[in-house]
Amino acid sequence: MNMQVQAQDVLVVIDVQNDFCPGGALAVAGGDAVIDAIHAVAPHFDHVVLTQDWHTPGHISFASSHAGRKPFESIDVRYGAQTLWPDHCVQGTAGAEFHPRLHLPQAELILRKGFRREIDSYSAFFENDKETRTGLASYLQERRLTRVFFAGLAYDYCVGYSALDARRLGFDAVVLRDACRAIDLNGSVDAIEAEFHAAGVLLAEGKDLS
Ligand code: VGL
Ligand code: ZN
């Protein structure tokens, strides 16, 4: 599928941070392999935005914050079901820094998310309560950026939720599949792809872009 990148397009690079890469606290298999794929596509874009998962110590999404709970279990919180994770991307720690090989000095915005102790945020647009906004939608609208390409980590969580919210907000959304890696927990990849299909999120490969 050939796709021409245009002036109103933006590349949003999700959470390419040490804790999601091999050796990190919530390592995604092959997570660091997204870096070369992202560097290959980034030159097509006039606009690049980065996101950074940025949790408080004792964050609600950490299993360690809930007595007797283990990572990858699910619990009910005020806003519904929440998967519990190992402590990761704690504000100011090395794990929360971007991977040292990620080199996108042209990025125009770094958006941090998940910084409220009581609400997780997979999506770059809405926190997991589905009502608290991060400000990204207004930013993109004000910049007149109407089509959002996504890459990064993790395909089935933060990338996927962001792409679905982009569609809900009226943006066109394209996920660059080979520039993402998945956590793949309890069928999460099949589930997100079914939602992509229903919502009109397109899948493409980096080599499709020109
Ligand atoms: C993510 C789980 C927890 C992600 C962030 O970036 O996909 N996943 N926090
Ligand atoms: Zn997180």
Side-chain angles (χ1 to χ4, degrees):
M1 187 210 318
N2 198 58
M3 264 193 185
Q4 184 126 29
V5 178
Q6 293 166 340
Q8 72 277 15
D9 294 339
V10 57
L11 175 66
V12 176
V13 175
I14 303 284
D15 299 0
V16 182
Q17 293 166 262
N18 289 324
D19 271 341
F20 297 123
C21 291
L26 178 43
V28 180
D32 55 344
V34 303
I35 297 168
D36 287 340
I38 289 166
H39 291 165
V41 296
H44 291 295
F45 289 88
D46 289 346
H47 307 288
V48 177
V49 167
L50 311 180
T51 72
Q52 201 171 17
D53 209 38
W54 197 250
H55 299 311
T56 60
H59 192 257
I60 194 168
S61 74
F62 296 169
S64 65
S65 305
H66 306 273
R69 297 293 175 172
K70 293 196 193 64
F72 310 108
E73 291 179 4
S74 178
I75 60 163
D76 283 315
V77 298
R78 183 175 54 73
Y79 51 79
Q82 171 67 51
T83 299
L84 298 178
W85 306 104
D87 292 25
H88 64 280
C89 297
V90 174
Q91 296 169 5
T93 65
E97 288 171 18
F98 292 114
H99 190 286
R101 272 204 313 115
L102 187 73
H103 184 71
L104 297 168
Q106 73 273 44
E108 295 169 352
L109 175 71
I110 297 173
L111 181 104
R112 289 171 169 171
K113 62 183 180 61
F115 51 73
R116 289 185 179 80
R117 195 170 66 93
E118 301 302 329
I119 317 179
D120 201 7
S121 189
Y122 296 152
S123 164
F125 295 98
F126 286 97
E127 301 194 7
N128 285 13
D129 62 0
K130 300 206 176 297
E131 66 189 35
T132 305
R133 288 172 175 260
T134 64
L136 182 59
S138 300
Y139 173 86
L140 296 179
Q141 282 155 3
E142 196 161 348
R143 301 283 319 275
R144 304 283 185 263
L145 299 171
T146 56
R147 185 166 65 165
V148 189
F149 288 72
F150 292 95
L153 303 169
Y155 176 67
D156 44 347
Y157 285 92
C158 291
V159 173
Y161 281 67
S162 297
L164 290 168
D165 277 346
R167 291 293 300 137
R168 276 181 207 116
L169 290 160
F171 298 96
D172 292 321
V174 183
V175 174
L176 297 169
R177 183 64 187 91
D178 60 323
C180 300
R181 291 294 182 280
I183 294 175
D184 201 3
L185 181 64
N186 304 322
S188 53
V189 170
D190 290 344
I192 208 80
E193 289 183 343
E195 290 199 65
F196 286 171
H197 186 77
V201 173
L202 302 182
L203 286 171
E205 303 281 319
K207 64 172 165 45
D208 297 336
L209 303 188
S210 59

